[in-house]
Amino acid sequence: MENRGTPLSRGEPPGSGEKPEPLSAGFTVMTGKNHTFNTDTILLADFSMPRPGETCADFGTGCGVIPLLWCARSAPRRVYAVELQEDACRLARRSVRLSGLENQIEIIREDIKTLRQNRPLPLGLDLIACNPPYKPDGTGVPSAREGQRIARHEVACSFADIAAAAAAFLRWGGRFFCCLRPERLCDAMATLRAAGLEPKRLRFVQQRGDKPPFLFLLQANRGGRPGMTVNPALLIESERGGGPKKC
């Protein structure tokens, strides 16, 4: 794959607290103090990988990692990356420019709660992914920084808001993907089903085989029939702690 650009050859130099991080050959993401990515983001991008030619959206894209990984590993026709925070949108736009994907990824600054009334992206999408806030508002220890608080706690939108927006923009049979902590599995499935998104595929993620899951990856289809497949658990480390193990 050709090198699409570097921070020195495309765009302005990094601002304070910002830095470019390579994702794969020719694909670079700009991260900042409040907007970065972790293993969960990478796992969700892989779990939700679009088919070639599909039109997709990433809700709450942050600095744009999931759309970049989709384009690096597949060939979606168009990706709409929705984000509320302007500083995250700025990083995502720079990431898109650095990777030469201006004609494939569109960054949209919009509140997920107003997506249905404002319609800044088209209806009938094939696929939507979201790495939502893991903690309901009012639980856990709130982050001091607003950007981190919005990313980690449901202060800007709830999972029900996300599910309703996804159902509105997906085509019939379109796929929604998310990841959350295991303690939220029952509520997540009930919320998705109430929105018309039927849970269809589930995978738990464990650090090792002797550890309980710390994450689940879930696919739900708009208008899908009842019936769900549970994939083998994904182990991050081998039993000896030596590195990722494929299951």
Side-chain angles (χ1 to χ4, degrees):
M1 182 180 297
E2 64 175 342
N3 191 301
R4 293 171 174 264
T6 68
L8 296 179
S9 64
R10 300 182 67 93
E12 65 274 18
S16 176
E18 299 177 358
K19 62 178 181 179
E21 297 194 25
L23 289 177
S24 63
F27 293 84
T28 300
V29 62
M30 290 296 301
T31 62
K33 291 183 294 184
N34 294 323
H35 305 287
T36 183
F37 63 98
N38 56 23
T39 302
D40 298 2
T41 311
I42 305 298
L43 294 177
L44 179 59
D46 183 70
F47 187 73
S48 63
M49 192 61 59
R51 302 171 186 132
E54 289 193 315
T55 303
C56 317
D58 179 32
F59 286 177
T61 196
C63 51
V65 172
I66 287 178
L68 290 174
L69 288 173
W70 284 347
C71 293
R73 301 176 184 176
S74 184
R77 185 176 69 86
R78 186 74 171 170
V79 178
Y80 299 92
V82 180
E83 174 57 48
L84 173 63
Q85 301 178 76
E86 177 54 39
D87 55 342
C89 287
R90 184 180 66 253
L91 290 171
R93 293 187 189 105
R94 292 191 63 194
S95 300
V96 169
R97 290 197 300 270
L98 291 172
S99 302
L101 295 169
E102 297 96 325
N103 294 326
Q104 199 168 1
I105 299 175
E106 179 179 348
I107 308 300
I108 297 173
R109 188 186 180 193
E110 185 70 56
D111 190 331
I112 288 174
K113 292 186 292 187
T114 60
L115 276 178
R116 287 178 288 171
Q117 65 188 64
N118 293 339
R119 294 194 179 182
L121 62 161
L123 301 176
L125 299 177
D126 298 299
L127 182 158
I128 295 173
C130 182
N131 186 352
Y134 286 169
K135 296 289 185 180
D137 191 20
T139 64
V141 179
S143 302
R145 295 175 178 171
E146 182 182 6
Q148 293 180 353
R149 187 165 62 251
I150 290 174
R152 297 173 182 175
H153 289 78
E154 293 180 338
V155 296
C157 69
S158 67
F159 188 72
D161 294 325
I162 295 168
F169 283 91
L170 283 170
R171 63 170 172 81
W172 194 258
R175 308 174 323 273
F176 173 73
F177 296 88
C178 65
C179 60
L180 279 168
R181 299 301 180 215
E183 60 264 27
R184 300 199 64 185
L185 177 59
C186 290
D187 288 341
M189 287 189 174
T191 299
L192 290 170
R193 179 171 276 181
L197 300 170
E198 183 66 26
K200 297 298 295 181
R201 183 162 65 101
L202 173 67
R203 190 172 199 184
F204 290 103
V205 182
Q206 301 169 220
Q207 194 65 31
R208 296 191 301 273
D210 60 348
K211 298 292 184 180
F214 67 86
L215 186 78
F216 69 82
L217 300 159
L218 182 63
Q219 173 187 339
N221 292 8
R222 184 185 174 209
R225 294 182 179 179
M228 186 176 67
T229 298
V230 180
N231 295 147
L234 174 62
L235 305 184
I236 301 301
E237 298 178 6
S238 68
E239 284 78 0
R240 298 180 181 179
K245 176 181 179 181
K246 295 181 179 180
C247 297

